Amino acid sequence: MDSRVPRSAPVPAFETTTRLFARALGWSPQRLLETFRPATADDLPALLDFRRRRGWDDAAYLRWRYGLTTVGHPFGQLWLLRDESKVLATIGSEVQPIRHAGHLYDGQYLMDVQLEPALEGAGGGAWLNQAMCEQASATLAIGANGNSLGLVRRLFAPLPNRTYHVLPLDAAVLLRQRGTPVALAALAGPFVNAGWRLRERLAKDAGMRALAIEEATGVAPEWLEAVHAALPPSLACVAPSAGHLDWRLFRNPRAAYRLFTAARGGRCVGYLAARHVPAEGGRLAAMHVIDWKLADEDASATLSALLLHAIAQARLLGCSKVFTTALDTSAALVLARLGFMSRQAEALVAGVQTPLPLPGVGGVGRWQITDLSFDNDGCF
């Protein structure tokens, strides 16, 4: 379903939700506003107890994501409400610098919303989101579950939905999943796989062969800033600094990423980040592409080359598929040309709340949003 459907009744004004949520807590509106604050290291034991109620045991994640034991952590904060004995509600943010038309705006992405069960249905989710929207010039909503989908549609101006893209690498698995008898799938699989490999070889053109693909062990400001400077001016995208991207990809306790760069004539013209998702339980190994950025010149050839390199790495690791999501029509065309199958889902909703002159609201303009702006690291 497209997120640009008419939205239901709007969320009441912040003053109204403040009064209603304070009443549910048995507090005054002033106490609610004064109690809402960033978490500190002293809150960590209570936060871990609060999150374990949903089966989460993630002290390392909280320290990394929100810098709870780090002075001056610049990439995000976890905000909370707590009384003397326990945490009542949390909401997290990650800094999301938004680059558009030569400007860099201070954006944020919201995540890790959790309420004490007794407070669910009391307007706390709306209040937490509204309170956080006061903290940045632009707030992104990327993805939703059944509990938050309606709130995202009501509170945020709709962007086009992201689209899920998947490239099967093992035809036998795909055929079995679609009901083909096991013996027939095993017989046909190698022939289909050979055809897929031939398609990938034929996809390469002269523009791609002129590119040098290398794996980076860190994010250097020099090449990242060169890519950012060469982004299409009409594009709105999340463009973290080198330090931010390095933290996100290489210091993550839940997921280990690999970073591939593409250079033409010795100059970096793009990058792509991906992680190996190991087999676990009934899940087969896969490669998850989380992010890419491309200089404006011959961007399609650059993305094709980076994706083909990631696909080759996925094959070496025995992955059953390569997958990603994208909010970028030009990238969708490249993915389709390489054989990725696409589908949409309600959970891939996207929205923005901002007074800034950014494109994309109501489906006008061009955005690039990748899984870098989604808190699914190591979760699937």
Side-chain angles (χ1 to χ4, degrees), residues 155-170:
L155 191 58
F156 294 85
L159 300 175
N161 275 22
R162 293 176 298 140
T163 303
Y164 177 76
H165 300 269
V166 59
L167 177 70
L169 300 180
D170 187 339

Side-chain angles (χ1 to χ4, degrees), residues 225-244:
E225 290 166 8
V227 172
H228 285 173
L231 290 169
S234 62
L235 181 71
C237 66
V238 176
S241 67
H244 187 169

Side-chain angles (χ1 to χ4, degrees), residues 25-356:
L25 289 163
W27 294 356
S28 68
Q30 181 179 358
R31 180 183 175 187
L32 173 58
L33 293 170
E34 292 175 349
T35 304
F36 188 56
R37 61 171 175 80
T40 68
D42 292 339
D43 296 306
L44 189 56
L47 283 167
L48 291 174
D49 181 63
F50 182 62
R51 288 168 66 83
R52 283 193 195 103
R53 300 174 198 180
R54 291 193 177 179
W56 297 333
D57 184 9
D58 48 7
Y61 170 78
L62 287 177
R63 291 188 183 98
W64 167 75
R65 173 69 83 176
Y66 301 114
L68 293 185
T69 56
T70 303
V71 176
H73 178 72
F75 307 129
Q77 288 183 314
L78 184 66
W79 288 65
L80 57 73
L81 289 170
R82 68 173 295 184
D83 58 18
E84 292 77 9
S85 59
K86 63 182 180 180
V87 175
L88 302 173
T90 63
I91 185 169
S93 69
E94 183 180 331
V95 170
Q96 299 277 276
I98 298 173
R99 186 176 291 270
H100 175 246
H103 300 283
L104 191 64
Y105 301 106
D106 63 312
Q108 65 178 350
Y109 161 71
L110 303 181
M111 57 193 161
D112 284 338
V113 179
Q114 186 176 349
L115 288 161
E116 178 74 18
L119 295 175
E120 292 179 0
W127 186 86
L128 289 167
N129 277 269
Q130 288 178 311
M132 290 300 294
C133 286
E134 304 289 321
Q135 307 298 323
S137 298
T139 300
L140 293 171
I142 309 299
N145 56 35
N147 295 324
S148 61
L149 184 61
L151 178 62
V152 169
R153 287 179 171 163
R154 293 162 64 196
L155 191 58
F156 294 85
L159 300 175
N161 275 22
R162 293 176 298 140
T163 303
Y164 177 76
H165 300 269
V166 59
L167 177 70
L169 300 180
D170 187 339
V173 172
L174 179 64
L175 290 170
R176 289 198 304 271
Q177 290 174 341
R178 298 195 171 189
T180 304
V182 173
L184 182 57
L187 181 65
F191 294 98
V192 178
N193 289 342
W196 287 347
R197 290 190 180 94
L198 177 61
R199 175 193 59 205
E200 290 160 19
R201 287 197 295 271
L202 294 175
K204 294 184 178 180
D205 60 22
M208 293 183 218
R209 287 191 289 271
L211 290 165
I213 308 296
E214 295 183 350
E215 184 162 357
T217 57
V219 183
E222 297 77 17
W223 63 254
L224 182 63
E225 290 166 8
V227 172
H228 285 173
L231 290 169
S234 62
L235 181 71
C237 66
V238 176
S241 67
H244 187 169
L245 190 60
D246 195 85
W247 163 82
R248 188 71 170 77
L249 299 178
F250 294 109
R251 285 180 264 163
N252 189 332
R254 284 185 174 176
Y257 289 94
R258 298 175 68 182
L259 179 62
F260 307 112
T261 61
R264 182 181 290 111
R267 182 172 60 89
C268 186
V269 293
Y271 74 84
L272 179 144
R275 69 181 173 95
H276 175 228
V277 184
E280 183 179 341
R283 182 183 67 191
L284 298 174
M287 180 74 79
H288 175 201
V289 176
I290 188 177
D291 189 39
W292 60 85
K293 292 288 184 300
L294 311 163
D296 200 13
E297 80 180 69
D298 213 3
S300 293
T302 303
L303 180 57
S304 293
L306 287 165
L307 284 167
L308 286 169
H309 187 81
I311 292 166
Q313 296 300 307
R315 291 191 189 282
L316 289 174
L317 292 167
C319 294
S320 65
K321 65 182 179 181
V322 179
F323 69 96
T324 190
T325 72
L327 198 166
D328 185 348
T329 54
S330 60
L333 293 173
V334 174
L335 290 160
R337 190 166 64 244
L338 294 181
F340 282 77
M341 299 181 293
S342 65
R343 64 175 172 83
Q344 295 201 3
E346 282 190 330
L348 299 179
V349 66
V352 62
Q353 185 177 110
T354 181
L356 298 173

